Amino acid sequence: MDAIVKEASQKMDKSIEALNHSFSKLRSGRANPAILSGIMCDYYGDKMDIVALCAISMPEPRQLLVKPYSREDVKAVAAAIVAANLGVNPQVEADCIRIIVPALTEDLRRDIAKEAKSLAEDGKVAIRNIRRDYMDFIKSDDTLSDDYKDRIKAELEKETSAHLAKVDSALSDKTKEIMTI
């Protein structure tokens, strides 16, 4: 494989990693600590990620237990979870927050599946943009022979197709997970 195609392939892999990270934040009917990542909490005047301030565990399949490292932060963390509008109602206890993840209705499952499809389409667009950028680079490089350009374009198309198939596979898996009761 040529160095140009390898570089493009690595960028496409990063796009797929970003897509999988986005998928992990989607609700799927069971508790997932990843849904709390990215929620910013007020911490002594600064904004910090809840994941950095708390230990998050999953005692039951539909329950998360969020235990701030400092007892004084319990109310601020609970307020940040409510403000994130995740569709959950945190229950504040003495030194921790219990989050019961409600079962998803069929309509909500369809909406989340549509959101997953939208994220997958964004991932495909990112991969196609990478392909376009490298194709433009290959076309504009006058030092390369026409045969070499054609070969690299074919390899780049092959890599793009493989990565688009990975996106479709990830979407299929996530949709199945979301729609499973």
Side-chain angles (χ1 to χ4, degrees):
M1 188 183 303
D2 192 57
I4 295 172
V5 177
K6 269 189 183 171
E7 185 179 325
S9 179
Q10 289 171 349
K11 287 186 178 184
M12 290 177 188
D13 286 339
K14 288 182 182 176
S15 293
I16 291 176
E17 286 176 27
L19 175 67
N20 288 331
H21 180 70
S22 297
F23 278 170
S24 71
K25 291 184 178 183
L26 293 177
R27 283 183 53 196
S28 62
R30 61 178 182 250
N32 181 2
I35 64 171
L36 298 178
S37 68
I39 297 176
M40 303 306 273
C41 175
D42 188 33
Y43 183 71
Y44 297 109
D46 286 337
K47 293 286 187 185
M48 288 193 64
D49 195 338
I50 285 182
V51 176
L53 296 174
C54 306
I56 302 170
S57 61
M58 202 171 80
E60 295 176 17
R62 292 194 186 265
Q63 187 179 80
L64 292 175
L65 188 64
V66 180
K67 192 166 188 164
Y69 298 123
S70 174
R71 197 171 181 172
E72 292 82 34
D73 298 330
V74 172
K75 289 184 180 175
V77 170
I81 293 170
V82 169
N85 198 17
L86 297 174
V88 295
N89 190 15
Q91 299 169 354
V92 178
E93 296 177 1
D95 62 344
C96 63
I97 302 162
R98 203 170 289 279
I99 300 172
I100 309 289
V101 179
L104 298 175
T105 63
E106 190 67 27
D107 290 338
L108 190 53
R109 286 180 191 278
R110 283 194 200 108
D111 290 344
I112 294 171
K114 284 180 189 175
E115 187 177 346
K117 188 173 183 180
S118 172
L119 290 171
E121 195 56 43
D122 291 345
K124 286 181 177 182
V125 168
I127 289 170
R128 289 181 188 127
N129 286 341
I130 292 167
R131 176 188 61 191
R132 184 198 62 224
D133 293 343
Y134 278 89
M135 288 289 199
D136 291 346
F137 171 73
I138 292 167
K139 287 178 187 175
S140 66
D141 193 351
D142 294 333
T143 62
L144 304 175
S145 70
D146 288 339
D147 289 339
Y148 186 68
K149 285 181 182 181
D150 291 340
R151 191 174 49 119
I152 290 178
K153 285 180 185 179
E155 286 182 29
L156 196 55
E157 283 296 330
K158 186 177 174 184
E159 280 297 310
T160 303
S161 297
H163 283 82
L164 292 176
K166 288 180 185 177
V167 169
D168 288 335
S169 173
L171 174 62
S172 174
D173 292 345
K174 188 62 180 181
T175 303
K176 183 188 283 185
E177 178 184 333
I178 290 168
M179 298 308 282
T180 302
I181 296 176

